[in-house]
């Protein structure tokens, strides 16, 4: 599971707006806080480490069903 800090989105002005770069930063921060590698996160959600890398760099977004 992700660290508690990443379990909830901060409540502040603009916090509800998410683009691919902000989402990627969020995923990377949560993954690191949980002590996971990109490969380990990918295995947990059923994707490759390359997919996780693309999310974290803001190059793509996961399928809605994974969220």
């Amino acid at each position: 599971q992700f660290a508690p800090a990443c379990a909830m989105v901060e409540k502040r002005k603009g916090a509800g707006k998410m683009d691919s770069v902000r989402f990627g930063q969020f995923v990377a921060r949560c993954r690191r806080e949980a002590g996971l590698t990109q490969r380990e996160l990918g295995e947990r959600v059923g994707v490759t480490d390359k997919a996780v890398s693309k999310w974290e760099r803001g190059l793509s977004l996961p399928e809605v069903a994974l969220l």
Side-chain angles (χ1 to χ4, degrees):
Q1 285 221 331
F2 283 122
C6 290
M8 298 185 326
V9 176
E10 293 179 33
K11 292 186 178 189
R12 64 172 201 253
K13 187 175 181 181
K17 297 179 183 178
M18 187 71 68
D19 60 25
S20 61
V21 173
R22 283 189 66 198
F23 177 80
Q25 292 169 345
F26 178 75
V27 169
R29 188 180 85 234
C30 292
R31 176 182 60 76
R32 289 184 192 113
E33 286 180 9
L36 298 174
T37 65
Q38 289 178 337
R39 178 174 290 186
E40 290 168 334
L41 176 58
E43 288 173 354
R44 288 187 181 199
V45 297
V47 299
T48 66
D49 57 329
K50 306 285 188 262
V52 174
S53 175
K54 286 182 180 180
W55 300 343
E56 291 184 358
R57 292 181 290 143
L59 300 178
S60 67
L61 292 168
E63 294 292 323
V64 175
L66 292 176
L67 302 176

